[in-house]
Amino acid sequence: MFQICHIEEEDTDDGEWNDVSDNESVSSMDSEVSNEHKGHQSLLQKHHESYFWQYNVQSKGPKGTRLCIPVKQADPHVLDDFQDPVFAPGAQVEISGIRHGGKARRGDGNDISPNPMRLHALGEELKSIGHDINDMVPASELPANVRVTTRKEKNKLASRACRLKKKANHEANKVKMFGLNEEHRNLMTVLMKVKSSIRDRLTNPNSHGGVTLEKIFQQLVSSHLKVKVASHTTDYVNRVIDNVRNGDKKGGLDL
């Protein structure tokens, strides 16, 4: 887990710099300290920035036995379909030494189709719970006879918020998976068309009317890869939520 320290600027008296004769060296040192401080501030801001669908970002995962099943991928250009290992064919036997605690039931975790409306609704509900918690009077300012009741109510709201954040994180992961699959398909389309253009250029140099392959490639990228998803999943999910907030029930996804 990251340990974030609060950085404060130290006050310096003018007398501390009397022994420094070179004013240029002083100004250069000030600029270096200022730049370093700005870098620390941006790093802190990056660590503190989080969204309602991000649940326990710094978590290292469960402490128990991990379910590790090797994935066999024959063709790297073809994505494997999602399959829950618990409900996979032949999963009735014990998997990797993990026993199932009861009858396996299908639930929200087995549904991988994205639901932007549900994700947005979870965000609004979490916002409402956050307002309710913030509006509650601190227990220390209440009489002793009502402190226990207030703490219980606050803990109930916090527990519900925690459960909702887990659901929101799952919904966001489904949106990410959908976007990455779409981007992969569009990328494969671009590669196949570039391959076809190169083949046509070799057999017939005048097949594209003198248009360079670089120009053809740029046109294909601009027409098929309009939205960046890989390495931009956070912005992608937030864009989908903003689209729902603006009235698009599908969040801009091609569902």
Side-chain angles (χ1 to χ4, degrees):
M1 183 176 293
F2 295 100
Q3 184 176 2
I4 302 176
C5 302
H6 181 66
I7 300 174
E8 298 180 352
E9 294 183 355
E10 297 181 358
D11 296 333
T12 57
D13 297 330
D14 295 338
E16 296 182 3
W17 302 103
N18 290 336
D19 296 334
V20 182
S21 59
D22 192 355
N23 294 330
E24 294 181 357
S25 62
V26 174
S27 60
S28 63
M29 290 175 63
D30 289 341
S31 62
E32 291 177 1
V33 172
S34 176
N35 293 333
E36 183 179 0
H37 181 65
K38 290 179 180 178
H40 285 299
Q41 283 183 331
S42 62
L43 181 61
L44 289 174
Q45 185 178 3
K46 182 178 181 181
H47 280 303
H48 283 300
E49 186 178 7
S50 60
Y51 304 96
F52 72 89
W53 50 267
Q54 292 178 321
Y55 176 78
N56 205 3
V57 181
Q58 297 178 352
S59 174
K60 297 181 180 179
K63 297 180 180 179
T65 306
R66 298 195 176 201
L67 179 61
C68 297
I69 299 177
V71 178
K72 296 180 181 179
Q73 192 171 12
D75 188 356
H77 300 91
V78 180
L79 293 177
D80 294 333
D81 294 333
F82 171 81
Q83 192 175 51
D84 192 330
V86 176
F87 298 98
Q92 288 74 17
V93 297
E94 193 171 323
I95 303 175
S96 302
I98 297 178
R99 293 175 53 192
H100 196 277
K103 182 180 178 181
R105 294 180 176 87
R106 294 183 181 273
D108 292 339
N110 307 107
D111 181 17
I112 62 170
S113 38
N115 192 340
M117 286 287 293
R118 177 174 170 80
L119 178 59
H120 176 262
L122 289 171
E124 293 299 318
E125 191 170 357
L126 280 168
K127 186 186 298 183
S128 176
I129 292 177
H131 287 319
D132 293 340
I133 293 176
N134 293 332
D135 291 341
M136 297 181 69
V137 180
S140 59
E141 300 179 4
L142 295 173
N145 57 342
V146 296
R147 288 180 183 178
V148 176
T149 304
T150 302
R151 287 196 181 100
K152 286 183 178 180
E153 292 298 327
K154 190 171 184 179
N155 289 338
K156 284 182 181 179
L157 292 174
S159 298
R160 176 161 178 76
C162 182
R163 292 192 296 269
L164 291 177
K165 283 182 72 71
K166 287 183 180 180
K167 293 181 180 180
N169 181 251
H170 177 65
E171 293 295 331
N173 286 337
K174 292 194 295 185
V175 172
K176 291 180 184 180
M177 183 177 177
F178 178 85
L180 290 171
N181 287 337
E182 285 292 313
E183 187 178 46
H184 183 272
R185 281 191 286 269
N186 293 334
L187 181 60
M188 291 306 304
T189 301
V190 171
L191 292 178
M192 295 302 295
K193 290 187 176 182
V194 169
K195 181 179 178 181
S196 177
S197 299
I198 294 175
R199 187 184 298 111
D200 294 342
R201 181 62 59 90
L202 292 175
T203 56
N204 184 9
N206 298 323
S207 58
H208 295 92
V211 181
T212 62
L213 290 175
E214 181 181 2
K215 185 67 174 179
I216 295 174
F217 176 74
Q218 291 176 351
Q219 292 176 352
L220 291 172
V221 169
S222 60
S223 60
H224 290 83
L225 300 175
K226 297 180 180 179
V227 179
K228 294 182 179 180
V229 184
S231 300
H232 300 81
T233 53
T234 300
D235 295 335
Y236 180 75
V237 173
N238 289 331
R239 191 182 304 113
V240 171
I241 296 173
D242 290 339
N243 291 336
V244 176
R245 190 178 294 113
N246 293 330
D248 187 355
K249 295 183 178 180
K250 295 183 178 180
L253 303 181
D254 187 14
L255 302 175

